């Protein structure tokens, strides 16, 4: 059952147009094959409203019980269902945040009004779990967080998926790289659980696994701060809801790769009825808030006079009529239509983004489109086809490493203000090139074309059996380019090196294809009157194919040439990698009185990256859910609903490409004949990292379900975590070998509280609060006597401490002479036992963990007169430390802090002054607590009266004004407590390192929403 990783000549996949034509043809054929409608078919229509305020309830699912006919209410709460059989039927209405409602009606009845009561518990809500048909939350023994995306996007300044997920689900932490438009983020779910492997959750779109790489983009972008995340390709406007499964206890059915959680994205679908058009127009601005006060004053020597002087380059530029950072424009336009018949329904959408960052060369130009079709050719079958496409270019400014606007501004140098003869310097005080110099020289961009498509067939051959088959593909074509044309402008030539002046082009093309095949079946039947049974089984095949081509050229003969073939020195290479996972599972659930549910399951997986001596891996699960409040004996005042739940489950994560396989490297042999030499030793016994988790919790409703509480405790252990060990030279191979060894533990709590504090005719106040904690610890490094593994600059994996923590000597005292100069050898460091020892013999100590141990958000929303809604979010992250690379470069490396020039003023802080004067030998003073609280979102939305909307031909209209990243409270020493390198030499692990990156930007956006 093994599928070994292969490498060789590149192959191309089929185009998305062919796939789309085939899917459309299949749907039309199915619709044409549908049998004639029965004679007694009729229509139902009406409105769904909230019981007390009578405001419309949008997005409610209205289903005819016992039939396949259903509809989703529009923004006015209206629904229409055609093709209803019989003379009288029962309508079932479901909506997240409301109690399930049923209503008996006569077929043909119109003007139906169905009232729903708000509920903060929603145990009857159906979620996607991996089994055919989904499952009600009351049956699940694990936590699943569901986000109503459509409502959030209408109100808040959400421009990408990172913004959408941030702080909205407990246990899910978003770690952004930079504030540049188009920039990416990491996603961490329930802590760090690996020492070596990627830790992004699995992403599914309409049942298809999609690419989730966090750090892509131009290949020479410093340490990985200026990264683009594939997750942000998905347009939030097209999403109906998101479901988040947070750990192995819930993700067993998703198998290998699922140990970091699963995010299910469900896109919008059409509803039967006439065509409805929805238009969204956004216009806004983005800026580097208060940068004139946030950028430091630096110190140095005046080149002409030799005096010690300070420089505030931001003030100097403003006085000269120049701005270092501009105010960028945000523009997006989205248009969708949906409708159809009971047999065929459609959702078609298109959008365009035209964003500008705070640097002129930071832009997003992106188009996206989506077509979703649903067909019901027979009463026992429906077919759903989804196709999404995104194309565009993201231009990124040079950042981090050794160049760019932030680099040259943050580290401004007084020595660059004047030349030795007293003339003004061409650098104007900037550290290296001027901002316009970097824009003249460097272009960095990523072009992307991405298609994601799926066909899902749901079949119900009997009233007790449901089966589902999903086929899909996610195809991404990236072109990552950095170009420096040959320079010929005399104003800029002195700012750059000879290599930069000659010009170059580096290009990396990545073509990644994910293919998914997923079959599942569920048989549901009653064993006795009060005992139900649900048996599920399924199989999946996932294939990832990556085709990589890289090329580089140096030395253009003249400016204006940009192709690699125009350079004098050229090089290149290509490779491809393939990864296949095959898995099968079975699950059995028994229900008692529709309130106690016990579930057990087992999954078996094989993956092409497993070693050839490693057999199948098995992942068990068991869970229980008990709706105690449905028991006759339940009598607790103020508690209107209570579900207790418990779950245990296992998942895994496969090794990286080629790590299990012995490889050889081609080299020139005698007579320049090609031959090979040993490369990597491989490890035929290499297997997956295994995640095992216990989850305990409860869901409760209070005060007639006006308040809902979800509480979860989790204890997650990762076994067989991968590490590197040295290879004995006698094997004929050099270097290191991957092996399964370490054990990591994460445990914590997650709390979500939401409810309605005030509910009156014209006033409603909703409040939501989520909190989570995470304790992370390396239990073992797998080798007796091995307690420490160096993991990066100032970063170690140490037994008994969090993964990738900061470890360095801690200076506590030093002696200085009368001039404030350090007396050599006087530095004293913490000995780890409450005492002091000379720093030369001091141990490295734990200085802090790199990821937050606590995070949460408070989200109030006030609705007035059913028309005015004021909503906001304040979120926080705490319990972690970051390395302030700005402080390191300015003070320890370049010597441009005041401490470097007037040390006698700082002798009262001998520990810090000693670090400054030792020039980076000691760094504990730059690894600081990065805890913060941020006013993340604030919005005002006004729903226009229908009579006003009708004047422009619309049935509904709303306008919102929203701000983002409006204020931050923090004691962190750097510019941005959230910024982090996502890749490169200092961002590939778990450590958070900030250095000369654009911070999270403030923004205001006005959005107009119209429905026709």
């Amino acid at each position: 059952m093994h599928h070994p990783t292969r490498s060789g000549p590149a192959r191309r996949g089929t185009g998305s147009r062919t796939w789309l034509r085939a899917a459309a043809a299949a749907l039309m054929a199915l619709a044409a094959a549908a049998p004639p409608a029965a004679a007694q078919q009729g229509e139902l229509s009406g409105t769904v409203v909230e019981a007390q305020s009578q405001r419309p309830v949008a997005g409610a699912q209205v289903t005819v019980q016992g039939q396949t006919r259903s509809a989703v209410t529009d923004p006015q709460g209206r629904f229409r269902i055609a093709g209803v059989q019989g003379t009288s039927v029962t309508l079932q209405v479901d909506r997240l945040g409301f109690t399930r409602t049923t209503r008996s009606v006569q077929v043909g009845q119109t003007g139906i009004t169905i009232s729903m009561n708000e509920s903060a518990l929603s145990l009857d809500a159906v979620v996607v779990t991996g089994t055919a048909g989904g499952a009600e939350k009351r049956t699940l023994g694990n936590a699943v967080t569901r986000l109503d995306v459509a409502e959030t996007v209408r109100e808040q300044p959400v421009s990408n998926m990172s913004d959408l997920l941030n702080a909205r689900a407990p246990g899910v932490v978003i770690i952004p790289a930079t504030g540049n438009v188009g920039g990416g983020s990491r996603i961490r779910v329930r802590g760090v659980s690996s020492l070596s492997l990627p830790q992004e959750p699995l992403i599914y779109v309409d049942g298809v696994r999609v690419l989730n790489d966090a750090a892509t983009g131009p290949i020479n972008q410093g340490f990985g701060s200026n990264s683009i995340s594939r997750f942000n390709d998905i347009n939030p406007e097209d999403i109906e809801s998101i479901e988040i499964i947070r750990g192995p206890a819930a993700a067993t059915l998703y198998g290998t790769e699922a140990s970091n959680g699963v995010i299910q994205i469900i896109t919008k679908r059409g509803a039967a009825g006439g065509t409805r058009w929805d238009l969204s127009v956004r216009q806004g601005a983005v800026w580097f808030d208060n940068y004139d006060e946030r950028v430091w004053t630096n110190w140095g020597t005046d080149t002409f006079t030799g005096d010690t002087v300070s420089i505030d380059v931001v003030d100097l530029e403003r006085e000269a009529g120049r701005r270092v950072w501009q105010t960028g424009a945000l523009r997006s336009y989205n248009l969708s239509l949906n409708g159809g018949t009971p047999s065929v329904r459609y959702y078609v959408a298109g959008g365009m983004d035209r964003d500008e960052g705070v640097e002129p060369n930071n832009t997003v130009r992106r188009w996206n489109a989506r077509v979703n079709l649903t067909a019901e050719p027979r009463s026992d079958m429906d077919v759903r086809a989804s196709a999404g496409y995104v194309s565009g270019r993201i231009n990124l400014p040079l950042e981090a490493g050794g160049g760019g606007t932030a680099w040259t501004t943050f580290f401004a140098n007084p020595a660059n203000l004047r030349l030795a003869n007293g003339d003004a310097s061409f650098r104007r005080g900037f550290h290296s090139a001027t901002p316009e110099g970097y824009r003249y020289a460097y272009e960095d961009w990523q072009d992307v074309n991405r298609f994601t498509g799926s066909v899902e067939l749901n079949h119900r051959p009997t009233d007790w059996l449901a089966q589902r088959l999903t086929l899909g593909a996610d195809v991404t074509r990236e072109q990552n380019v950095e170009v420096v044309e040959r320079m010929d402008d005399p104003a800029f030539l002195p700012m750059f090196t000879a290599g930069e002046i000659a010009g170059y082009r580096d290009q990396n093309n990545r073509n990644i294809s994910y293919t998914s095949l997923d079959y599942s079946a569920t048989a549901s039947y009653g064993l006795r009157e009060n005992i139900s049974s649900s048996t599920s089984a399924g199989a999946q095949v996932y294939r990832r194919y990556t085709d990589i081509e890289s090329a580089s050229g140096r030395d253009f003969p003249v400016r204006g040439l940009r192709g690699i073939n125009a350079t004098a020195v050229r090089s290149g290479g290509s490779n491809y990698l393939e990864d296949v996972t095959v898995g099968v599972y079975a699950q059995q659930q028994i229900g008692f009185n529709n309130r106690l549910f016990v579930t057990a399951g087992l999954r078996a997986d094989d993956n092409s990256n497993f070693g050839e001596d490693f057999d199948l891996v098995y992942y068990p699960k068991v869970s229980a859910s008990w709706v105690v409040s449905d028991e006759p004996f339940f009598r607790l005042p103020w508690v209107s609903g209570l579900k207790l739940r418990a779950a245990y489950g296992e998942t895994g994560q496969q090794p990286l490409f080629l790590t299990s396989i012995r490889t050889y490297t081609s080299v020139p042999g005698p007579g320049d004949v090609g031959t090979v030499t040993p490369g990597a030793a491989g490890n035929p016994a290499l297997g997956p990292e295994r995640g095992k988790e216990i989850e305990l919790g409860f869901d409760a409703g209070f005060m007639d379900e006006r308040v809902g509480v979800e509480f979860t405790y989790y204890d997650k252990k990762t076994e067989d975590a991968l590490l590197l060990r040295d290879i004995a030279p006698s094997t004929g191979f050099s270097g290191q070998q991957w092996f399964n060894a370490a054990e990591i533990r994460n445990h914590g709590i997650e709390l979500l509280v939401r409810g309605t504090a005030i509910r009156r005719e014209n006033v409603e106040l909703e409040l939501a609060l989520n909190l989570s904690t995470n304790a992370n610890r390396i239990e073992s490094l797998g080798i007796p006597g091995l307690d420490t593994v160096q993991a990066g600059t100032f970063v170690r994996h140490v037994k008994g401490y969090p993964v990738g923590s900061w470890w360095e000597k801690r200076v506590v005292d030093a002696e200085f002479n009368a001039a404030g100069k350090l007396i050599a050898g006087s530095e004293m460091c913490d000995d780890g036992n409450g005492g002091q020892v000379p720093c030369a013999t001091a141990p490295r100590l734990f200085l802090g963990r790199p990821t937050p141990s606590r995070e949460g958000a408070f989200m109030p929303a006030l609705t007035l007169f059913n028309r005015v809604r004021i909503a906001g979010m304040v979120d926080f992250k705490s319990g972690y430390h970051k390395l302030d690379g700005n402080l390191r470069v300015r003070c320890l490396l370049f010597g441009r802090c005041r401490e470097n020039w007037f040390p006698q003023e700082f002798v009262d802080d001998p520990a810090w002054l000693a670090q400054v004067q030792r020039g980076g030998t000691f760094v504990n003073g730059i690894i600081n607590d990065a805890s913060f609280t941020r006013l993340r979102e604030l919005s005002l939305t006004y729903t226009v009266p229908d009579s006003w909307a009708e004047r422009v031909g619309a049935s509904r209209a709303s306008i919102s004004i929203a701000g983002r990243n409006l204020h931050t409270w923090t004691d962190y020493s750097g510019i941005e407590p959230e910024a982090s390198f996502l890749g490169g030499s200092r961002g590939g692990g778990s450590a958070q390192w900030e250095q000369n990156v654009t911070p999270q930007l403030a923004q205001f956006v006005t959005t107009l929403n119209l429905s026709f």
Side-chain angles (χ1 to χ4, degrees):
M1 202 166 174
H2 278 286
H3 307 272
T5 304
R6 300 183 293 272
S7 63
R11 297 181 293 181
R12 301 292 181 183
T14 57
S16 59
R17 293 182 179 178
T18 302
W19 187 96
L20 185 56
R21 285 196 297 266
L27 281 173
M28 289 187 288
L30 285 167
Q40 288 89 10
Q41 287 189 344
E43 182 177 299
L44 297 168
S45 64
T47 306
V48 178
V49 298
E50 194 276 319
Q52 293 200 6
S53 66
Q54 295 297 296
R55 61 179 172 86
V57 177
Q61 181 80 28
V62 184
T63 305
V64 180
Q65 288 187 349
Q67 301 182 29
T68 61
R69 303 305 184 191
S70 64
V72 178
T73 57
D74 66 12
Q76 287 78 37
R78 299 176 299 197
F79 67 91
R80 174 178 171 269
I81 306 176
V84 182
Q85 300 179 6
T87 57
S88 64
V89 296
T90 299
L91 294 180
Q92 176 180 301
V93 188
D94 293 288
R95 175 69 163 83
L96 183 67
F98 291 84
T99 302
R100 172 175 289 174
T101 302
T102 58
R103 172 84 175 272
S104 297
V105 297
Q106 297 297 312
V107 175
Q109 188 174 346
T110 60
I112 303 168
T113 300
I114 301 176
S115 298
M116 299 190 74
N117 291 309
E118 290 191 85
S119 169
L121 195 54
S122 300
L123 292 181
D124 296 322
V126 176
V127 297
V128 176
T129 64
T131 57
E136 292 183 356
K137 288 186 70 174
R138 68 168 45 238
T139 69
L140 301 179
N142 51 266
V144 177
T145 298
R146 187 174 186 271
L147 304 180
D148 185 347
V149 176
E151 182 176 342
T152 300
V153 171
R154 281 194 297 269
E155 295 179 355
Q156 300 297 346
V158 171
S159 60
N160 54 50
M161 293 298 299
S162 299
D163 292 348
L164 183 60
L165 277 184
N166 184 74
R168 288 189 166 86
V172 179
V173 176
I174 303 297
I175 304 174
T178 175
N180 290 324
V181 298
S185 302
R186 279 195 185 117
I187 306 173
R188 290 289 177 265
V189 179
R190 288 184 176 172
V192 178
S193 56
S194 177
L195 305 180
S196 310
L197 298 181
Q199 297 174 69
E200 306 304 311
L202 292 184
I203 309 296
Y204 285 79
V205 176
D206 294 330
V208 173
R209 188 180 294 187
V210 300
L211 184 65
N212 63 345
D213 291 356
T216 73
I219 54 181
N220 282 340
Q221 281 289 326
F223 302 141
S225 65
N226 224 358
S227 300
I228 299 168
S229 298
R230 291 278 66 89
F231 188 54
N232 287 334
D233 291 339
I234 305 165
N235 185 6
E237 291 279 352
D238 291 334
I239 300 173
E240 183 66 37
S241 62
I242 293 177
E243 295 173 7
I244 302 171
I245 299 172
R246 291 192 285 272
T252 296
L253 297 186
Y254 297 90
T256 298
E257 297 183 88
S259 60
N260 299 317
V262 177
I263 297 178
Q264 289 271 6
I265 297 172
I266 298 97
T267 62
K268 294 177 180 178
R269 293 280 168 181
T275 300
R276 190 183 87 225
W277 297 77
D278 291 293
L279 173 66
S280 173
V281 178
R282 297 189 179 192
Q283 302 285 307
V286 61
W287 66 95
F288 186 157
D289 188 40
N290 203 26
Y291 72 81
D292 53 342
E293 294 185 11
R294 294 166 69 182
V295 175
W296 304 274
T297 296
N298 290 343
W299 291 82
T301 302
D302 185 309
T303 304
F304 179 61
T305 65
D307 296 334
T308 298
V309 295
S310 65
I311 182 174
D312 186 333
V313 72
V314 171
D315 280 347
L316 294 176
E317 290 295 291
R318 184 174 56 248
E319 291 170 2
R322 293 181 293 264
R323 290 177 56 84
V324 178
W325 287 279
Q326 67 178 15
T327 297
L330 304 177
R331 297 178 290 267
S332 69
Y333 311 88
N334 289 275
L335 178 66
S336 68
L337 63 150
N338 79 84
T341 69
S343 297
V344 179
R345 300 182 293 278
Y346 58 85
Y347 171 84
V348 181
M352 177 178 68
D353 296 320
R354 293 291 183 268
D355 295 338
E356 300 171 356
V358 294
E359 296 192 50
N361 55 343
N362 177 207
T363 61
V364 175
R365 299 289 184 266
R366 181 165 50 205
W367 295 86
N368 59 78
R370 174 160 291 279
V371 178
N372 288 352
L373 302 174
T374 304
E376 296 183 8
R378 301 184 341 199
S379 61
D380 63 348
M381 178 185 296
D382 66 76
V383 184
R384 301 181 179 186
S386 299
Y389 183 75
V390 61
S391 177
R393 171 174 290 189
I394 296 177
N395 288 285
L396 294 172
L398 188 67
E399 190 171 88
T405 297
W407 169 269
T408 199
T409 303
F410 291 175
F411 309 132
N413 187 358
N416 290 337
L417 274 172
R418 292 194 291 178
L419 301 176
N421 62 4
D423 293 341
S425 169
F426 53 85
R427 287 193 171 93
R428 304 200 304 269
F430 288 100
H431 169 73
S432 45
T434 59
E436 63 268 26
Y438 280 116
R439 293 194 289 269
Y440 165 80
Y442 282 86
E443 291 183 65
D444 291 88
W445 74 80
Q446 180 186 86
D447 288 337
V448 67
N449 289 279
R450 184 176 186 181
F451 168 80
T452 305
S454 66
V455 175
E456 178 184 297
L457 172 64
N458 291 284
H459 184 215
R460 298 165 294 278
T462 69
D463 59 359
W464 55 268
L465 177 63
Q467 55 185 342
R468 180 186 67 204
L469 176 65
T470 303
L471 297 152
D474 179 45
V475 182
T476 304
R477 302 287 182 256
E478 287 179 7
Q479 184 183 80
N480 302 294
V481 179
E482 178 168 284
V483 172
V484 176
E485 292 189 32
R486 188 173 188 90
M487 303 183 198
D488 57 11
D489 191 326
F492 297 121
L493 292 178
M495 301 180 186
F496 297 98
T497 65
E500 290 172 305
I501 292 171
Y504 63 86
R505 180 184 180 111
D506 290 329
Q507 182 167 324
N508 176 278
N509 295 342
R510 285 203 322 159
N511 301 322
I512 310 104
S513 300
Y514 257 115
T515 307
S516 300
L517 170 62
D518 186 338
Y519 172 79
S520 62
T522 299
S524 302
Y525 44 88
L527 297 177
R528 294 183 180 178
E529 182 179 355
N530 62 339
I531 301 178
S532 62
S533 173
S534 177
T535 304
S536 299
Q540 294 87 27
V541 179
Y542 301 114
R543 174 181 179 265
R544 172 171 169 158
Y545 178 84
T546 304
D547 179 350
I548 304 170
E549 300 171 346
S550 60
S552 178
R554 296 289 184 273
D555 196 353
F556 289 110
V558 295
R559 189 169 181 83
L561 298 178
R562 301 166 63 85
I564 290 176
N565 282 346
T567 59
V569 181
R570 299 183 290 275
S571 62
S574 66
N575 198 7
Y576 75 77
L577 300 166
E578 186 178 40
D579 175 17
V580 178
T581 299
V582 179
V584 296
Y585 74 86
Q587 175 178 284
Q588 177 64 50
Q589 182 179 93
I590 302 294
F592 302 90
N593 296 312
N594 197 36
R595 48 184 178 256
L596 175 61
F597 304 89
V598 179
T599 305
L602 180 67
R603 181 182 178 94
D605 266 6
D606 196 8
N607 181 271
S608 58
N609 290 336
F610 295 167
E612 62 181 10
D613 294 341
F614 186 87
D615 204 352
L616 294 175
V617 60
Y618 295 92
Y619 301 119
K621 68 169 286 187
V622 62
S623 68
S625 170
W626 184 19
V627 185
V628 184
S629 55
D630 285 355
E631 297 287 358
F633 61 77
F634 185 82
R635 295 288 187 276
L636 282 180
W638 302 100
V639 181
S640 51
L642 176 63
K643 183 186 90 167
L644 305 180
R645 47 183 166 79
Y648 171 82
E650 299 182 13
T651 61
Q653 188 169 14
Q654 80 275 16
L656 298 174
F657 292 118
L658 299 178
T659 52
S660 66
I661 298 176
R662 178 166 293 181
T663 63
Y664 295 85
T665 303
S666 60
V667 294
D672 289 332
V673 176
T675 185
V676 296
T677 186
N683 183 350
L686 201 63
E689 298 186 344
R690 295 178 62 101
K692 302 179 179 181
E693 184 180 66
I694 295 174
E695 182 179 299
L696 305 172
F698 67 85
D699 303 333
F702 301 90
M703 302 172 63
D704 295 326
E705 298 196 5
R706 287 178 59 177
V707 178
V709 177
E710 297 178 12
F711 175 83
T712 302
Y713 167 80
Y714 66 91
D715 194 332
K716 172 183 173 183
K717 183 185 294 184
T718 300
E719 297 180 349
D720 297 330
L722 295 179
L723 278 175
L724 281 169
R725 61 186 172 195
D726 293 331
I727 295 294
S730 59
T731 64
F733 291 83
S734 60
Q736 295 179 308
Q737 177 190 54
W738 290 101
F739 71 112
N740 296 102
E743 182 178 306
I744 304 164
R745 184 185 178 203
N746 286 276
H747 64 93
I749 62 169
E750 297 163 348
L751 175 66
L752 175 61
V753 182
R754 53 190 169 197
T756 305
I758 301 174
R759 182 186 295 162
R760 297 178 182 173
E761 183 176 357
N762 292 318
V763 179
E764 184 172 87
L765 177 61
E766 302 165 81
L767 302 174
L769 172 70
N770 72 67
L771 299 169
S772 67
T773 67
N774 173 262
N776 178 259
R777 173 186 168 97
I778 298 173
E779 299 289 340
S780 169
L781 289 173
I783 298 177
L786 179 64
D787 294 330
T788 301
V789 174
Q790 193 71 31
T793 309
F794 318 125
V795 177
R796 291 182 169 190
H797 301 314
V798 179
K799 180 181 176 180
Y801 291 87
V803 173
S805 293
W806 301 107
W807 286 82
E808 274 303 305
K809 298 181 179 183
R810 181 184 285 117
V811 182
V812 294
D813 200 4
E815 296 180 7
F816 301 87
N817 62 24
K821 296 296 183 180
L822 178 68
I823 297 175
S826 68
E827 310 97 297
M828 301 295 289
C829 285
D830 191 336
D831 66 357
N833 296 308
Q836 299 180 11
V837 294
C839 288
T841 60
R844 286 177 167 81
L845 303 178
F846 173 69
L847 300 183
R849 57 178 282 167
T851 54
S853 61
R854 298 174 295 278
E855 59 89 23
F858 175 62
M859 293 166 283
L862 175 65
T863 304
L864 303 172
F865 303 101
N866 292 325
R867 297 204 176 277
V868 178
R869 185 173 174 85
I870 304 169
M873 174 195 288
V874 176
D875 69 316
F876 76 90
K877 294 180 177 68
S878 64
Y880 71 112
H881 283 64
K882 285 180 56 176
L883 188 145
D884 184 354
N886 296 317
L887 196 58
R888 176 174 180 257
V889 174
R890 288 179 57 247
C891 297
L892 307 189
L893 302 185
F894 289 170
R896 294 183 188 150
C897 295
R898 186 173 177 86
E899 295 94 311
N900 298 100
W901 300 91
F902 302 98
Q904 63 273 18
E905 297 178 5
F906 299 92
V907 292
D908 290 340
D909 190 356
W912 169 240
L913 189 57
Q915 294 174 68
V916 169
Q917 295 191 21
R918 286 297 303 270
T921 301
F922 306 113
V923 297
N924 66 277
I926 62 172
I927 298 174
N928 297 317
D929 186 348
S931 303
F932 71 92
T933 300
R934 176 162 280 169
L935 177 54
R936 183 73 64 178
E937 297 172 354
L938 184 63
S939 67
L940 171 65
T941 303
Y942 177 66
T943 302
V944 175
D946 291 348
S947 58
W948 295 10
E950 291 169 359
R951 295 178 185 177
V952 295
S955 59
R956 180 181 174 87
S958 68
I959 187 169
S960 69
I961 301 174
R964 187 172 187 83
N965 299 326
L966 300 179
H967 188 73
T968 303
W969 296 269
T970 183
D971 292 328
Y972 176 60
S973 60
I975 286 279
E976 174 54 65
E978 280 194 290
S980 177
F981 295 159
L982 300 192
S985 60
R986 294 175 185 169
S990 59
Q992 293 213 61
W993 186 310
E994 179 211 1
Q995 181 178 307
N996 55 280
V997 300
T998 304
Q1000 293 297 293
L1001 302 174
Q1003 61 176 271
F1004 262 106
V1005 177
T1006 299
T1007 304
L1008 174 65
N1009 294 296
L1010 295 172
S1011 297
F1012 300 91

